[in-house]
């Protein structure tokens, strides 16, 4: 297969890009990276050149074009044989919590946009936002208590696509000061100490661009 290129958006703001990028890093799929600046006059035209959906992330290899973070993660899992728990029933749960993130938590995503380098931001709380935070806390507790005994990740010793799906959530909780349980705080510390996430954060801090609509709190 041709060399993979992962097209991503600003590291400070693009949460879907982070999910695909960190999954590929952890699963060990080699790729080049092409960063497109979001929210600039030329952004839409550039996105259309690389992705049929005009969105990032997109994984490209020769004729192959895979848009959407979840599909990219699935391809990486197929190619590497990593990324999902071995046991079928545990794998089903990992897929469920990943899908719940991919399709849900609309209030969290709109009220607390990812702003990786920002700290100590505070926003007004809504019932829907609180419900999203509580549900995520519940998911992390459930995974850690039922499947996490062998290591620090949601499903134990091996990093899974579920961890990649929730990495931007950890950044949001960190930025906006989410009140969470001890187990969730412990899991957040694991994610924040991860070398791959640190690499992403260093690059995010160095970016010169600001997207005003994502600067909240
Ligand atoms: N469901 C898609 C969502 C992708 C998405 O919404 N990406 C945003 C950036 S995080 C985007 O490309 N926005 C286009 C723009 O800002 O013009 C996925 O999972 O990859």
């Amino acid at each position: 297969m041709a060399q993979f290129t992962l097209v991503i958006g600003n590291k400070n703001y693009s949460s879907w890009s982070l999910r695909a990028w960190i999954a590929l890093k952890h699963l060990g799929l080699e790729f080049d990276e092409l960063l497109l600046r979001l929210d600039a006059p030329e952004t839409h035209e550039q996105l259309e050149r690389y992705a049929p959906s005009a969105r990032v992330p997109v994984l490209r290899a020769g004729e192959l074009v895979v848009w959407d973070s979840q599909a990219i993660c699935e391809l990486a899992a197929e190619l590497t044989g990593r990324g999902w728990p071995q046991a079928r029933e545990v794998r089903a749960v990992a897929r469920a919590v990943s899908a719940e993130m991919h399709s849900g938590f609309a209030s969290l995503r709109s009220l607390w946009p990812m702003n990786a380098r920002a700290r100590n931001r505070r926003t007004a709380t809504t019932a829907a936002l609180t419900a999203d935070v509580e549900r995520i806390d519940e998911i992390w507790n459930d995974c850690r208590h039922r499947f996490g005994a062998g290591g620090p990740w949601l499903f134990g010793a091996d990093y899974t696509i579920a961890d990649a799906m929730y990495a931007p959530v950890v950044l949001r909780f960190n930025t906006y000061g989410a009140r969470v349980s001890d187990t969730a705080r412990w899991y957040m510390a694991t994610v924040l100490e991860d070398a791959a996430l640190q690499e992403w954060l260093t690059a995010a801090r160095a970016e010169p661009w600001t997207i005003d609509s994502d600067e909240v709190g």
Side-chain angles (χ1 to χ4, degrees):
M1 199 174 258
Q3 171 68 29
F4 288 106
T5 300
L6 185 68
V7 186
I8 58 174
N10 304 31
K11 288 188 172 169
N12 193 54
Y13 299 109
S14 183
S15 61
W16 295 111
S17 298
L18 168 56
R19 292 180 172 99
W21 185 93
I22 205 159
L24 265 50
K25 286 273 173 187
H26 272 278
L27 271 50
L29 192 76
E30 301 238 331
F31 62 99
D32 295 326
E33 170 181 318
L34 175 65
L35 191 148
L36 302 182
R37 181 186 165 192
L38 299 177
D39 203 42
E42 68 280 9
T43 300
H44 193 73
E45 195 189 324
Q46 286 197 334
L47 286 170
E48 281 188 318
R49 196 177 312 149
Y50 291 100
S53 58
R55 290 183 183 274
V56 281
V58 193
L59 186 69
R60 303 184 61 113
E63 297 290 301
L64 177 67
V65 181
V66 186
W67 64 98
D68 196 282
S69 56
Q70 200 168 9
I72 294 168
C73 290
E74 287 288 2
L75 176 64
E78 281 189 24
L79 290 169
T80 62
R82 303 171 61 191
W84 292 119
Q86 297 276 310
R88 180 176 293 139
E89 289 182 11
V90 183
R91 192 160 64 245
V93 175
R95 284 204 162 104
V97 302
S98 301
E100 190 171 348
M101 176 68 249
H102 194 255
S103 62
F105 304 122
S107 294
L108 176 92
R109 278 158 48 189
S110 65
L111 298 176
W112 285 359
M114 189 175 100
N115 186 349
R117 62 189 167 224
R119 293 287 171 277
N120 301 316
R121 300 292 177 93
R122 296 296 178 266
T123 67
T125 299
T126 68
L129 175 60
T130 302
D132 281 356
V133 172
E134 286 176 357
R135 173 62 190 142
I136 291 164
D137 197 330
E138 182 177 57
I139 289 170
W140 292 350
N141 268 276
D142 182 45
C143 293
R144 288 287 315 142
H145 288 129
R146 282 205 289 158
F147 310 114
W153 301 110
L154 289 176
F155 291 86
D158 294 329
Y159 193 93
T160 66
I161 289 165
D163 296 295
M165 281 288 155
Y166 285 92
V169 176
V170 169
L171 293 181
R172 286 172 158 110
F173 282 11
N174 202 35
T175 295
Y176 301 100
R179 292 212 198 111
V180 293
S181 65
D182 287 348
T183 297
R185 253 201 309 279
W186 189 91
Y187 175 66
M188 285 173 64
T190 295
V191 173
L192 291 168
E193 285 163 13
D194 174 33
L197 191 83
Q198 284 295 328
E199 183 186 333
W200 178 277
L201 285 175
T202 300
R205 282 189 211 104
E207 287 175 351
W209 315 294
T210 301
I211 299 180
D212 290 343
S213 56
D214 287 345
E215 292 289 333
V216 301

